Amino acid sequence: MAVPVRFLILLCLGLAGASAGAQNIVTSSRPDRVAVTVYRDPNRSAETPPNLQWMNGYALISETRRIAIPGGMSEIRFEGVAGGILPQSAIVTGLPEGLIERNRDAYLLSPGTLLDRSLGRRVHLRRTSRATGAVVEQEAVVRSGAGGAVVLQTEEGFEALRCTGLAETPVYDEVPPGLSARPTLSVRARATRAVEATITLSYIASGFDWQANYVATLSPMEDRLDLFAWLTLANGDETGFADADTQAVAGQVNHRNVRAQPSEASPLILRCWPHGTTSDIVAEGQTIVVTGSRVAATRGMVAGAPPPPSPPPPPPPPALMAEQEALGDLKLYRIPEPVTVAARSQKQVALLQRPDVRVRMVYRQRLFPSDSSVAMQARCLLITRNSADEGLGLPLPSGRLMLFADAGTRPILIGQGTVTDRAVGEDVEIELGPAPGVRTQLTLLSRENDVWRYELVVTNDRAEPVAFEGEFDLGNFRVRPEGRLGRRNGRPLWQVMVPANGNMRLRYRLDRRN
């Protein structure tokens, strides 16, 4: 029967319209340039180093990509974004006619997701005889997902994968739609004509952190030190950033701490039935996700792994050192050359170097009312002022400090402490821990009604005199010493030099305030 010419014309026009309305898919595999700005975890104390397995800092990632966009409606896929991306924070500029919608592609390519997304599809089932090595292939249809026993339908019927005793492997002709080997952000955009555009993608990503690591060498007279600091950047994300313009921000930013949902990239774990009649089979070698998702154990991220090694000693004056800039109330530390912020790793860059900083060592004890005699070790503190006169005069971001002494041929570690954020002009006190050589003995001499009488004895077994401070924390009590006390921060303070291999004594009484 002849087909009317009018019907053919309408059919061709309909097909043309359908083709014109089809959505193009454009994939950008990697950025041409990337900048990474790392913000510290605001709730992590300076004593605690960043934990690569659970980091609550974040980063601002800014990527530049050159993309050829066809005319019409397009889905543009930005591959290689951070796995911890917060999609709601993404800003895309440079699109010819703006952005229509954006989506975080949560499914990453893995044995589990590959099987789940092949539900109802045909695959090739490859069987290998353990006895002869003979290989047989046949078609099969996936009838269940990766959660437990995987059921396949062949021309012989239904069976569970790897429950026959043979070595069986499903082989896929293609990757199902919606799976990506790397974290991906996709957007929909429209262009009236084909154009090559420079696109800027900026977003917040969780799973980053940074801190300062100070290394100091104390002079033999214990009155000066050479100070060096590393800027330690930590990237706990599955995505690394090569040749990135990198900086770190110090200070408290008003940012709600939100962690991104992990990408869905499940391992493939197979079980047979009935339970106990055949051995449970785990797909060996397939529990590691193809993409290195945060769900799986990966190199450098094994659970229970020891913490990273201590910072190395200071090198000679480095050629590459972070440059400090003011950023409102914050401080920005910019690395002057592009560096690689690798996935699940730490990177150290020189932060600051100050030789010949003037310091003093003080031994301190906090004194409380007590109904018994107490013997304690005084705590050693390294004290200076953050000023140019003392050899500093620059903002000090928080971090750990390792104190070395020169023992002739090599440095010896003599203490560790914590540096809290200190602005220029502030006092700096770094507690190094208990000092075995300087001890205090607080003896209760008597108690009559509401009056306690004490004697405090400070002993020094070092070969040189030391400065000691007894700081009274009295609450609802008042101290009456046999001598004169100073005051600091509203508290009574006993300051004294304890002679070498000698001691000093203070008697006082406490009574309740009216």
Side-chain angles (χ1 to χ4, degrees):
M1 182 177 65
V3 179
V5 174
R6 183 166 176 259
F7 175 79
L8 291 176
I9 294 175
L10 290 175
L11 177 63
C12 292
L13 289 175
L15 291 175
S19 176
Q23 179 172 276
N24 302 294
I25 297 179
V26 180
T27 300
S28 172
S29 60
R30 61 179 181 84
D32 300 310
R33 289 191 61 184
V34 61
V36 179
T37 303
V38 182
Y39 296 78
R40 295 183 305 194
D41 175 3
N43 299 317
R44 177 177 56 81
S45 66
E47 298 95 359
T48 307
N51 180 1
L52 277 174
Q53 300 181 56
W54 186 255
M55 286 194 293
N56 292 309
Y58 57 98
L60 171 62
I61 314 294
S62 184
E63 304 176 354
T64 302
R65 303 181 184 228
R66 190 72 177 167
I67 302 176
I69 303 175
M73 186 72 70
S74 297
E75 177 185 332
I76 303 174
R77 298 173 60 84
F78 299 99
E79 291 186 343
V81 298
I85 182 175
L86 302 179
Q88 64 271 25
S89 70
I91 300 174
V92 182
T93 60
L95 293 171
E97 297 182 26
L99 183 67
I100 297 176
E101 70 176 38
R102 59 191 174 197
N103 302 285
R104 163 74 162 88
D105 295 347
Y107 286 95
L108 295 182
L109 184 62
S110 73
T113 54
L114 187 59
L115 192 69
D116 282 338
R117 299 303 280 263
S118 297
L119 192 63
R121 294 172 176 264
R122 290 183 179 268
V123 298
H124 295 284
L125 183 60
R126 180 179 296 165
R127 306 180 194 266
T128 304
S129 172
R130 300 184 188 277
T132 65
V135 178
V136 177
E137 286 194 12
Q138 68 179 123
E139 284 193 340
V141 178
V142 179
R143 292 304 186 191
S144 72
V150 175
V151 177
L152 301 175
Q153 181 182 6
T154 65
E155 60 182 354
E156 288 86 9
F158 293 88
E159 61 180 86
L161 181 65
R162 296 193 182 173
C163 290
T164 62
L166 298 176
E168 300 173 330
T169 301
V171 180
Y172 304 83
D173 292 331
E174 61 182 0
V175 176
L179 289 184
S180 175
R182 296 186 296 164
T184 302
L185 179 76
S186 63
V187 301
R188 291 181 62 216
R190 181 186 294 109
T192 55
R193 59 181 179 83
V195 64
E196 187 169 342
T198 299
I199 308 299
T200 300
L201 169 63
S202 300
Y203 57 89
I204 298 292
S206 61
F208 294 79
D209 207 346
W210 78 275
Q211 74 171 17
N213 285 103
Y214 295 88
V215 183
T217 303
L218 191 63
S219 68
M221 298 298 294
E222 299 186 353
D223 61 347
R224 295 181 182 274
L225 58 77
D226 293 333
L227 184 65
F228 180 87
W230 295 100
L231 170 59
T232 303
L233 297 166
N235 175 8
D237 197 82
E238 62 221 61
T239 302
F241 302 92
D243 298 325
D245 296 327
T246 307
Q247 45 266 327
V249 173
Q252 295 292 331
V253 180
N254 186 16
H255 169 75
R256 183 183 177 188
N257 192 10
V258 178
R259 293 189 63 87
Q261 293 296 319
S263 304
E264 297 188 28
S266 57
L268 176 58
I269 300 177
L270 307 178
R271 297 182 179 89
C272 300
W273 76 91
H275 184 72
T277 60
T278 59
S279 60
D280 287 353
I281 301 173
V282 176
E284 297 181 359
Q286 293 188 340
T287 56
I288 299 296
V289 174
V290 176
T291 58
S293 165
R294 65 184 74 243
V295 177
T298 54
R299 182 176 60 187
M301 285 290 292
V302 179
S310 300
L320 181 63
M321 180 173 286
E323 300 172 351
Q324 178 202 311
E325 301 176 13
L327 191 65
D329 294 331
L330 308 174
K331 301 298 178 186
L332 177 71
Y333 295 93
R334 186 186 305 276
I335 299 175
E337 298 177 9
V339 297
T340 295
V341 184
R344 295 191 173 97
S345 66
Q346 295 188 10
K347 171 175 287 294
Q348 290 186 316
V349 178
L351 176 63
L352 61 88
Q353 190 166 31
R354 284 293 186 271
D356 202 32
V357 178
R358 190 178 304 167
V359 298
R360 59 191 179 97
M361 305 290 287
V362 173
Y363 296 83
R364 184 179 295 170
Q365 185 66 64
R366 186 70 66 85
L367 303 170
F368 300 93
S370 174
D371 282 328
S372 61
S373 299
V374 181
M376 293 177 288
Q377 295 177 350
R379 305 191 72 81
C380 180
L381 288 91
L382 186 69
I383 296 177
T384 186
R385 186 168 180 79
N386 190 3
S387 66
D389 292 341
E390 303 298 315
L392 288 173
L394 76 172
L396 299 176
S398 64
R400 295 282 291 166
L401 177 136
M402 304 183 70
L403 183 65
F404 293 85
D406 191 355
T409 58
R410 58 183 179 181
I412 299 296
L413 179 66
I414 61 173
Q416 300 184 58
T418 301
V419 178
T420 56
D421 288 323
R422 284 292 175 262
V424 175
E426 288 190 300
D427 292 331
V428 180
E429 294 188 354
I430 304 170
E431 185 174 314
L432 302 174
V438 181
R439 304 181 67 87
T440 61
Q441 176 67 52
L442 182 62
T443 302
L444 177 63
L445 301 178
S446 66
R447 176 182 177 182
E448 299 175 2
N449 297 325
D450 286 338
V451 177
W452 288 258
R453 298 182 184 276
Y454 296 95
E455 181 181 60
L456 174 64
V457 180
V458 184
T459 59
N460 172 27
D461 69 359
R462 300 189 57 180
E464 60 276 334
V466 299
F468 175 82
E469 295 180 349
E471 189 174 69
F472 290 85
D473 196 338
L474 301 175
N476 196 35
F477 288 85
R478 178 172 50 192
V479 62
R480 298 183 184 275
E482 295 180 1
R484 187 174 181 84
L485 298 181
R487 297 190 73 84
R488 182 172 58 207
N489 298 329
R491 292 193 178 102
L493 182 70
W494 181 43
Q495 294 178 296
V496 65
M497 291 297 297
V498 185
N501 299 309
N503 64 76
M504 295 295 289
R505 298 171 183 267
L506 173 69
R507 287 196 174 190
Y508 62 93
R509 72 179 189 181
L510 298 180
D511 53 30
R512 293 188 184 276
R513 300 178 186 273
N514 295 330

